[in-house]
Amino acid sequence: MPRIRAASVAEHRTMQRRALLDAARALLSEGGTEALTFPALAERTGLARSSVYEYFRSRAAVVEELCAVDFPVWAAEVEAAMETAGSAEGRIEAYVRSQLTLVGDRRHRAVAAISAGELDSGAREKIRAAHGGLIAMVVAALSDLGHDEPRLTAMLLQGVVDAAVRRIELGAAEDPERITRAAITMALHGVTG
């Protein structure tokens, strides 16, 4: 009997932790980092505020866990899109397009809100490392195209993607697909179009 009880307690804690992370994603995507407060997490999940502290010691700890959980899923989606492309250019297009497609995803909106907020150095480092993993994915495709400095080019390419993400998130006058096409053109052909 004690094993069953211990397992159910562990399962319950896991479910509550997931609920807290889901609530954090929703709060971040709806209201940015200012909306991510322990009282708001408690209200969204039906937990007592003191119970939230049993799972996370700070907002930064919530952010770090969101990054640890969500970035790998996001990166796997980008990688899967790149793997289906038949050429180096196709992999680069998939790299750009898949990231821009994820802009509407709640996980991405939460990560974008996190990135814009004031975070401690540990959380910022986790975000940088996750972005580094994304950049590493496109280095091989750039090498295949003959770039002398594929890592530098990959970082600059990610800058184009990040600018397109911000443009889409701002609700720019252009249609998101038009922004995506422009970013892909920039990635593949530079400013010569």
Side-chain angles (χ1 to χ4, degrees):
M1 278 294 214
R3 280 190 175 169
I4 293 171
R5 180 149 168 52
S8 65
V9 169
E11 289 171 6
H12 181 70
R13 288 190 59 78
T14 299
M15 286 175 27
Q16 285 186 326
R17 189 174 206 89
R18 276 191 214 127
L20 285 165
L21 291 175
D22 284 343
R25 282 182 200 97
L27 289 165
L28 286 165
S29 66
E30 293 165 10
T33 52
E34 312 80 47
L36 180 61
T37 65
F38 279 27
L41 285 171
E43 183 179 327
R44 287 275 174 124
T45 58
L47 294 172
R49 184 176 172 186
S50 60
S51 295
V52 176
Y53 284 98
E54 291 177 29
Y55 293 92
F56 300 104
R57 68 188 183 290
S58 64
R59 285 177 3 140
V62 175
V63 167
E64 287 180 38
E65 186 144 344
L66 279 174
C67 289
V69 170
D70 291 347
F71 255 111
V73 173
W74 184 23
E77 291 173 19
V78 172
E79 188 172 29
M82 290 177 71
E83 286 175 358
T84 63
S87 65
E89 290 92 349
R91 292 195 314 271
I92 292 168
E93 179 176 346
Y95 177 82
V96 174
R97 183 174 296 283
S98 60
Q99 287 188 67
L100 297 180
T101 299
L102 290 169
V103 171
D105 184 288
R106 190 170 66 151
R107 289 168 302 162
H108 179 270
R109 286 196 310 267
V111 168
I114 290 166
S115 300
E118 296 177 20
L119 301 175
D120 66 22
S121 60
R124 286 204 184 280
E125 186 53 41
K126 287 188 180 193
I127 290 171
R128 272 192 290 276
H131 270 284
L134 280 176
I135 289 168
M137 288 181 200
V138 79
V139 169
L142 292 165
S143 293
D144 290 349
L145 288 176
H147 281 275
D148 292 337
E149 297 189 58
R151 179 121 179 99
L152 173 60
T153 304
M155 289 187 279
L156 296 173
L157 171 58
Q158 187 60 44
V160 169
V161 172
D162 293 343
V165 164
R166 284 189 298 280
R167 188 90 181 145
I168 291 169
E169 286 175 338
L170 287 173
E174 303 88 6
D175 175 68
E177 178 55 29
R178 187 170 168 208
I179 295 168
T180 299
R181 284 193 312 269
I184 290 167
T185 299
M186 176 76 77
L188 293 176
H189 308 291
V191 294
T192 61

